Amino acid sequence: MDAIAHSPCKVEAEALQDELKRTRKENETLKVMLEVMGSKVSALQASVQEIGSNSPLSSSVSYYEVYGSIKKPRIEIPMVKPSQIFVRTDSNDKSLIVKDGYQWRKYGQKVTKDNPSPRAYFRCSMAPGCPVKKKVQRCAEDKSILVATYEGKHNHDPFGSPGHSIYSPDSSSRSSRSSIISFPVNSNPSQPGVALDLALSSPTHDKEKPCQSLMEDHTSNKNCNTKAEEYLASLTKDPSFTVALAAAVARSLSTPRVL
DNA sequence: CGGCTTTGACCGGCGC
DNA sequence: GCGCCGGTCAAAGCCG
């Protein structure tokens, strides 16, 4: 009886072991990919630092765009949709307003466990059916930094006009006291200013103070020119980089430390 | 007066 | 099952 009962179990066990082997191998491959991506990110950060980053922020890349280029990600990634931007404001300014060119209606505020600063919840009010929401909260590490998390995709243009860049430095909608940290890559009028937080995915950075490192890196410089855009565009066009970046971001979000 | 903010209540998911 | 916590609702008040 036992022998009859065990033999299918044995087969199952072998199948599981086989799968485990395959999973390990895949894990190794992903590790290598992550390392490659890490070096690319480091190069990118160095490049951005070199040429500056604070110029006409016409648009940015978001996790959506990263995933939009992937038909079916091999790895299931929970909760990767929200993308973040970091905004430096006056530390005396207690408002949780991130001026990104869209019109937002606040519908709630909460104090969360992990951060003493209250988190504000906004809905896009520029278009009636716009599903976009954003959460704004001060960085726990540096209260002068606002962290805005965007969810969803706008079904309209900012200001209803494509020519009206939401990140124009001269734009009256921009707060003169704040600077939005984001990487201009390609133009997408339906996206808000969404930053790709490379600090999250870079293996050279620890999880702590992702916003601060970005702040130092990108606000200290004033010029971001087409070279950066070209470099970033070439990176985002690279499918392997995109996949690896997406995976790394997802892993960074789900686990504090990857390697 | 209409639209927005504020804020306490409520709800659902999740971990223990 | 219960409590905690994040997210949302909705009434009241404020402001242009």
Side-chain angles (χ1 to χ4, degrees), chain A residues 96 105-110 119-123 134 136:
Chain A
L96 289 167
R105 180 194 175 92
K106 190 177 179 181
Y107 66 89
Q109 183 167 317
K110 267 277 186 200
R119 174 186 295 171
Y121 298 89
F122 296 90
R123 225 176 246 138
K134 80 170 175 183
V136 180

Side-chain angles (χ1 to χ4, degrees), chain A residues 26-126:
Chain A
E26 194 177 321
N27 199 21
E28 286 299 313
T29 312
L30 285 172
K31 251 185 188 174
V32 173
M33 283 172 75
L34 194 57
E35 277 170 25
V36 171
M37 187 229 27
S39 63
K40 282 189 179 184
V41 167
S42 300
L44 170 65
Q45 284 182 321
S47 174
V48 168
Q49 218 172 343
E50 211 174 280
I51 53 191
S53 68
N54 219 12
S55 63
L57 301 167
S58 54
S59 63
S60 316
V61 69
S62 72
Y63 297 151
Y64 296 121
E65 289 168 65
V66 169
Y67 282 96
S69 66
I70 305 163
K71 293 272 160 93
K72 287 212 170 180
R74 283 192 65 186
I75 308 157
E76 276 198 40
I77 296 139
M79 305 198 304
V80 291
K81 281 185 181 175
S83 42
Q84 292 184 319
I85 65 171
F86 300 103
V87 181
R88 172 168 282 171
T89 62
D90 194 318
S91 52
N92 297 325
D93 186 8
K94 291 187 177 166
S95 67
L96 289 167
I97 296 169
V98 176
K99 302 203 175 185
D100 52 15
Y102 290 90
Q103 200 177 340
W104 300 93
R105 180 194 175 92
K106 190 177 179 181
Y107 66 89
Q109 183 167 317
K110 267 277 186 200
V111 177
T112 56
K113 198 186 168 187
D114 57 332
N115 193 333
S117 304
R119 174 186 295 171
Y121 298 89
F122 296 90
R123 225 176 246 138
C124 182
S125 61
M126 283 184 83

Side-chain angles (χ1 to χ4, degrees), chain A residues 195-257:
Chain A
L196 180 61
D197 180 8
L198 292 175
L200 280 172
S201 56
S202 169
T204 58
H205 285 80
D206 265 329
K207 182 193 157 202
E208 65 253 45
K209 305 185 185 176
C211 35
Q212 272 184 309
S213 59
L214 271 176
M215 290 293 138
E216 254 95 76
D217 284 350
H218 303 296
T219 50
S220 57
N221 301 306
K222 282 285 171 193
N223 304 322
C224 181
N225 55 26
T226 50
K227 191 181 168 189
E229 289 189 16
E230 282 169 15
Y231 190 65
L232 285 159
S234 72
L235 279 177
T236 53
K237 278 175 195 167
D238 182 352
S240 63
F241 173 72
T242 309
V243 171
L245 181 59
V249 168
R251 287 167 68 144
S252 299
L253 290 173
S254 58
T255 59
R257 203 64 190 103

Side-chain angles (χ1 to χ4, degrees), chain A residues 150-225:
Chain A
Y150 291 85
E151 290 178 48
K153 198 169 183 176
H154 291 282
N155 58 7
H156 57 88
D157 292 337
F159 301 106
S161 153
H164 205 139
S165 170
I166 61 172
Y167 284 130
S168 167
D170 298 323
S171 169
S172 57
S173 72
R174 260 293 302 270
S175 166
S176 60
R177 287 186 297 177
S178 67
S179 53
I180 296 176
I181 307 308
S182 64
F183 294 106
V185 171
N186 53 1
S187 159
N188 182 351
S190 65
Q191 281 292 320
V194 175
L196 180 61
D197 180 8
L198 292 175
L200 280 172
S201 56
S202 169
T204 58
H205 285 80
D206 265 329
K207 182 193 157 202
E208 65 253 45
K209 305 185 185 176
C211 35
Q212 272 184 309
S213 59
L214 271 176
M215 290 293 138
E216 254 95 76
D217 284 350
H218 303 296
T219 50
S220 57
N221 301 306
K222 282 285 171 193
N223 304 322
C224 181
N225 55 26

